[in-house]
Amino acid sequence: MKQDSSYLQCCKECNSVIKIANSDQNHTAYCPNCDEILQQGSSWSLTRCTILAIAILILLPFGLSFPLMNIDLLGVPIYASVWGGVWKMATSGYAITAFMVLFCSVIMPVAFASLVVLIALQRLIKQRPHYSLLLLSKAQQWVMLDVYLVALGVAAFKVREYAQLHFDIYLSAFLITAVSMTLLFIKIDLKRMWQEFYPEYHNVSPDCSSDVQLCSVCEYTFAEQIMDKKGQLRCPRCESNLSVSEKVKLQRVWATLIAGTIMMIPANILPISSTLFAGSISADSLISGVMLFIDMGSYAVAAIVFIASIFVPFSKVAIIFYLLLAIRYRWKHNIHRQLKLLHYVHFVGRWSMLDLFVLALMMSLVERGQIISFSVGGAAVFFGSAVFLTMISSSNLDAKMLWDIHKEKK
């Protein structure tokens, strides 16, 4: 009699229990209920991901500290780099805003690639990377080199009206690093890493008669019940606390969303930047910055800035509010449309950091004390805080709460 090689897997989005064939690990398995990926078939091995991470770490010093572009102002070349913009912003009295830019463009990219290399080293010395895997799963959403790459183009269009602009050869290092980091995001499979380092935690057999549960952190489907001394349910593999109630999760979402919404008021009222040119000062808010690009005839850039700085933040807040109200009042709306809205929120939230990256580049290019001077406005710190808070809010919004309402309807 042929042994059944299939196993049970809980979907992290709709919480359905799906039977998956274990015959070929190179195929991608999808949930038939919500199309969520249950098994990633196109992922790379840890060795290949480590090689790519090492290449990223080699290129990062060139891409972050060396000049990406420069302007010629009265015969004097002025260079702009990622680190130079952060340093200029911090030393000019905008330390909090500078730290936000530093965190997303320097600290987290270095940390993410370093964690991949660290996990490979831990495998060599036969050590289990428990905390490394947990940190790696949290770090990915805060790596924003792709957003910074778009910010380079926006800053280039903004500066060219004041001086002649040139791109440096080190821009290629930053471009290759950003593309490589995106490829690493696509090809790395944390679930498979957990299985490789913790092989004693087997998949649940289809013959299992107990109720199965899913750990949302390491995506381990298990049937056993493990309680700590406080009576809280723990994941057998990563030991994460799984007893956080739905009420507490919703309180976290409401708290961060309300705080982020409050931050958006001064972020849109106060000027986000000011420019001194030929003796006249021009203070720009988010919307006036968009109008400036329209007046310059740069409609594509104006559209990018409008979408990233105004449309995305407001639409994100509106969608999260709607989903929270749908959960609170048990609105039985189309579940697939609600999930599309939730996926939209998860995807676009990070792109709102575009404005802060542009400010950092402008601070690096346009120095004070010359004919032209650029400074950050009071709205920057509020805008950055709103972006961070709404990202935290959306990450705490659980899709299973929406599916519970849908299952009640059915």
Side-chain angles (χ1 to χ4, degrees):
M1 183 176 180
K2 187 177 179 180
Q3 186 177 2
D4 189 3
S5 61
S6 60
Y7 65 95
L8 297 181
Q9 173 68 42
C10 274
C11 176
K12 64 180 180 180
E13 187 153 287
C14 67
N15 211 31
S16 300
V17 180
I18 311 299
K19 182 179 178 181
I20 300 177
N22 200 26
S23 57
D24 192 352
Q25 292 291 329
N26 295 322
H27 284 79
T28 301
Y30 295 91
C31 174
N33 196 28
C34 65
D35 290 331
E36 179 68 20
I37 295 178
L38 302 176
Q39 174 183 289
Q40 187 174 339
S42 60
S43 60
W44 282 357
S45 65
L46 178 58
T47 302
R48 296 181 68 180
C49 291
T50 304
I51 294 172
L52 185 59
I54 293 173
I56 291 172
L57 289 175
I58 294 173
L59 289 172
L60 270 175
F62 298 95
L64 297 179
S65 59
F66 284 73
L68 302 177
M69 57 185 180
N70 66 82
I71 61 173
D72 188 1
L73 196 60
L74 298 179
V76 180
I78 303 174
Y79 299 93
S81 65
V82 177
W83 174 255
V86 172
W87 181 255
K88 184 71 178 182
M89 186 179 285
T91 55
S92 300
Y94 310 103
I96 298 177
T97 309
F99 176 76
M100 294 178 186
V101 177
L102 178 71
F103 182 78
C104 297
S105 62
V106 179
I107 295 177
M108 295 314 295
V110 173
F112 188 85
S114 300
L115 283 169
V116 176
V117 177
L118 177 60
I119 292 171
L121 292 175
Q122 288 175 304
R123 184 174 65 176
L124 287 176
I125 62 176
K126 308 297 182 182
Q127 182 183 11
R128 295 192 174 189
H130 179 266
Y131 293 105
S132 300
L133 288 171
L134 290 176
L135 289 174
L136 193 63
S137 64
K138 302 294 183 183
Q140 185 170 341
Q141 68 169 332
W142 301 102
V143 180
M144 302 185 186
L145 293 182
D146 50 347
V147 182
Y148 206 105
L149 193 61
V150 178
L152 278 169
V154 175
F157 274 95
K158 198 167 186 177
V159 166
R160 68 176 184 173
E161 65 172 320
Y162 302 115
Q164 190 174 4
L165 180 72
H166 305 278
F167 290 101
D168 288 88
I169 187 64
Y170 297 104
L171 177 62
S172 60
F174 184 84
L175 177 62
I176 295 172
T177 304
V179 174
S180 300
M181 188 68 77
T182 304
L183 181 62
L184 185 60
F185 287 165
I186 296 172
K187 294 299 182 180
I188 198 167
D189 188 355
L190 289 178
K191 181 181 176 181
R192 190 162 293 181
M193 286 188 185
W194 279 104
Q195 293 172 343
E196 177 183 348
F197 284 101
Y198 296 86
E200 69 272 20
Y201 294 97
H202 302 288
N203 293 323
V204 179
S205 169
D207 300 327
C208 178
S209 58
S210 303
D211 292 334
V212 295
Q213 299 187 60
L214 175 72
C215 174
S216 58
V217 179
C218 68
E219 297 187 39
Y220 177 51
T221 301
F222 59 94
E224 59 269 30
Q225 299 287 322
I226 296 180
M227 300 290 181
D228 59 13
K229 294 180 179 180
K230 298 181 179 179
Q232 297 174 330
L233 178 65
R234 294 279 177 177
C235 172
R237 188 164 66 180
C238 71
E239 301 177 3
S240 298
N241 182 15
L242 305 180
S243 294
V244 181
S245 65
E246 181 179 307
K247 181 179 180 181
V248 173
K249 292 180 181 178
L250 290 175
Q251 287 176 347
R252 294 173 181 173
V253 179
W254 276 111
T256 50
L257 180 63
I258 293 173
T261 305
I262 294 173
M263 291 293 179
M264 286 181 62
I265 298 174
N268 285 272
I269 296 176
L270 298 175
I272 197 167
S273 65
S274 61
T275 307
L276 174 62
F277 183 66
S280 62
I281 299 178
S282 172
D284 292 321
S285 62
L286 290 173
I287 189 63
S288 63
V290 175
M291 299 305 297
L292 176 64
F293 283 116
I294 294 177
D295 294 337
M296 293 167 56
S298 303
Y299 300 110
V301 180
I304 292 173
V305 175
F306 173 79
I307 292 172
S309 305
I310 298 175
F311 177 77
V312 166
F314 279 100
S315 63
K316 185 176 180 180
V317 169
I319 289 171
I320 297 176
F321 265 121
Y322 159 70
L323 294 177
L324 285 172
L325 292 175
I327 295 172
R328 172 66 179 82
Y329 294 106
R330 319 300 289 181
W331 290 343
K332 296 177 176 60
H333 296 168
N334 189 298
I335 182 62
H336 295 289
R337 290 179 183 175
Q338 290 178 329
L339 290 179
K340 287 180 180 179
L341 292 175
L342 183 59
H343 294 162
Y344 163 82
V345 164
H346 289 157
F347 175 75
V348 303
R350 56 204 300 274
W351 286 91
S352 298
M353 284 294 293
L354 180 101
D355 253 312
L356 295 189
F357 293 157
V358 172
L359 291 178
L361 287 167
M362 294 294 292
M363 287 288 292
S364 181
L365 275 175
V366 188
E367 298 183 0
R368 294 177 178 228
Q370 301 179 5
I371 294 177
I372 180 174
S373 176
F374 182 86
S375 61
V376 177
V381 65
F382 295 105
F383 183 79
S385 300
V387 174
F388 273 57
L389 288 167
T390 51
M391 285 182 65
I392 296 172
S393 179
S394 62
S395 64
N396 281 283
L397 189 56
D398 196 347
K400 290 193 285 291
M401 301 180 190
L402 297 169
W403 274 104
D404 288 342
I405 302 173
H406 176 71
K407 290 174 182 177
E408 289 177 2
K409 176 183 177 181
K410 292 183 67 174

